[in-house]
Amino acid sequence: MGWYDRKVRQVRDLSCGDTRILLELEVRRIDCRSCGKVKQERLDFLADNPFYTKRFAYFVGRRCRQGSISDVAKELALDWHTVKALEMQYMKAQLARAGTPGPQVIGIDEIAIRKGHTYRIVVSDLLRRRPIWFGGADRSEASMAQFYAWLGKKKSARIRLAVMDMWKPFRMATAAHAPKAAILFDKFHVMRHLGEALDTVRKSEYARLSGRDRRYIKGQKYTLLSRRENLTVDGKKALKALLAANKRLNTAYLLKESFGQLWDYEREAWARRFFENWRSSLKWQRLKPYEKFAAMIERHWDGIAAYCQPENKVSLGFVEGLNNKIRVIQRRAYGLKNEDYFRLKVLTCMLPEL
């Protein structure tokens, strides 16, 4: 190293609360005799953007957890791109503090990142209740295999349970790369299929009827698909009138509501008996969509009955709650095309603040 001089720089910092101050720094610049370049010393308390401290970058990152980049940029009188860069540094620091995952129970789901069936896979650690991987080019078996390659053979072999929907490529990839993992189908995805069967019955009844007989069914899709306890007073009145007016929809609704009891059993034999009784009650009901649903459950029975095992009693609502959180992130970041930024937002949405 040869000569050096000092350069005075103003750096934005945060003293306390919302008070913003500027620090005067003397940064040394050194002439390197090996490469012939002038190099500047790095200071640990500076952010990746050398005009801001890490403390200020983390402050910006915490604000961005509650609001959009545009709102934070307007509040702090910063450029939009500066806020985005500081937030990304904050999220990378969150992931570094969280450490490398070694999950035993994982939840697998896909999310649509844009129109046109463009999917990415999200894998969560259900015991630590946080997403740990976001990637793939679609929801194929090859994309799912990328997660296990990222995790490594040793950690993949330690996975004892994988919660997913009934999408075949996810099952095939898990069976190939995590052979010790039991597969459990997510209750919310199963019930969604049953809700679609109920909606098919509703549409067929609306097509069968005519005139004033249709008035009870029209506009009541979400009243039928919602649980009774989640309805408003007006919704409960509309549901009561609908079920009283249409016997076939009344039967379909009661069958849908009762099926959720399947996940309450602690022994597979009891759960199987309940399912056989539920399936036999479809006889003579002329509910073809329900018969197709029952046949699907029969084909995937092992992945549903796995929940009866005491060691598999995990929170099945976490994956669905994570999906809701991701949808909020997508709405807040509407029009943002940087997938790396979106990946960081997903992976850090359940992590504690720095």
Side-chain angles (χ1 to χ4, degrees), residues 223 226-239:
T223 301
S226 300
R227 295 184 64 85
R228 190 189 299 268
E229 58 266 25
N230 295 334
L231 294 173
T232 62
V233 175
D234 291 338
K236 290 178 181 177
K237 289 181 180 178
L239 177 64

Side-chain angles (χ1 to χ4, degrees), residues 117-142:
H117 299 285
T118 304
Y119 294 99
R120 296 294 181 267
I121 300 171
V122 179
V123 182
S124 305
D125 185 334
L126 295 187
L127 296 183
R128 291 177 173 81
R129 302 178 66 84
R130 72 176 184 95
I132 57 175
W133 190 78
F134 174 99
D138 46 30
R139 53 178 183 161
S140 65
E141 184 177 344

Side-chain angles (χ1 to χ4, degrees), residues 165-235:
D165 59 16
M166 289 177 279
W167 184 242
K168 186 177 179 180
F170 291 172
R171 301 201 313 270
M172 298 295 291
T174 301
H177 299 280
K180 295 182 181 178
I183 293 177
L184 174 62
F185 296 128
D186 185 8
K187 173 184 176 181
F188 293 93
H189 286 93
V190 175
M191 293 301 291
R192 186 173 66 189
H193 285 288
L194 183 53
E196 291 171 355
L198 174 59
D199 192 48
T200 303
V201 174
R202 180 191 66 84
K203 290 176 181 178
S204 67
E205 285 298 286
Y206 185 81
R208 184 179 65 85
L209 300 173
S210 61
R212 291 177 59 83
D213 292 335
R214 285 182 167 185
R215 67 185 187 275
Y216 294 106
I217 301 177
K218 187 175 181 179
Q220 299 302 320
K221 174 181 178 179
Y222 295 104
T223 301
L224 271 175
L225 296 182
S226 300
R227 295 184 64 85
R228 190 189 299 268
E229 58 266 25
N230 295 334
L231 294 173
T232 62
V233 175
D234 291 338

Side-chain angles (χ1 to χ4, degrees), residues 25-189:
L25 297 181
E26 286 190 351
V27 183
R28 290 181 296 181
R29 298 187 302 176
I30 302 172
D31 177 40
C32 180
R33 292 175 179 172
S34 300
C35 63
K37 295 181 180 179
V38 176
K39 296 186 176 180
Q40 184 173 284
E41 68 175 328
R42 292 186 59 85
L43 301 176
D44 290 338
F45 62 88
L46 289 183
D48 291 343
N49 184 329
F51 293 98
Y52 303 90
T53 63
K54 281 185 180 178
R55 185 167 59 169
F56 186 75
Y58 291 177
F59 172 77
V60 171
R62 288 192 295 270
R63 300 294 271 210
C64 288
R65 286 172 70 96
Q66 308 299 327
S68 65
I69 295 177
S70 299
D71 291 338
V72 176
K74 184 178 180 181
E75 176 192 353
L76 301 178
L78 293 172
D79 180 72
W80 186 93
H81 297 282
T82 299
V83 172
K84 178 185 168 186
L86 293 176
E87 186 191 6
M88 289 184 70
Q89 180 180 355
Y90 172 79
M91 292 187 291
K92 289 175 182 177
Q94 280 184 295
L95 289 177
R97 177 174 290 187
T100 305
Q104 296 182 19
V105 180
I106 61 173
I108 305 170
D109 202 3
E110 76 276 357
I111 61 168
I113 61 170
R114 64 179 68 93
K115 292 182 179 179
H117 299 285
T118 304
Y119 294 99
R120 296 294 181 267
I121 300 171
V122 179
V123 182
S124 305
D125 185 334
L126 295 187
L127 296 183
R128 291 177 173 81
R129 302 178 66 84
R130 72 176 184 95
I132 57 175
W133 190 78
F134 174 99
D138 46 30
R139 53 178 183 161
S140 65
E141 184 177 344
S143 290
M144 188 67 237
Q146 290 178 22
F147 162 72
Y148 294 108
W150 170 81
L151 192 62
K153 290 184 179 180
K154 193 173 287 187
K155 289 185 177 180
S156 296
R158 294 178 189 155
I159 298 174
R160 63 173 180 82
L161 181 66
V163 180
M164 63 184 74
D165 59 16
M166 289 177 279
W167 184 242
K168 186 177 179 180
F170 291 172
R171 301 201 313 270
M172 298 295 291
T174 301
H177 299 280
K180 295 182 181 178
I183 293 177
L184 174 62
F185 296 128
D186 185 8
K187 173 184 176 181
F188 293 93
H189 286 93

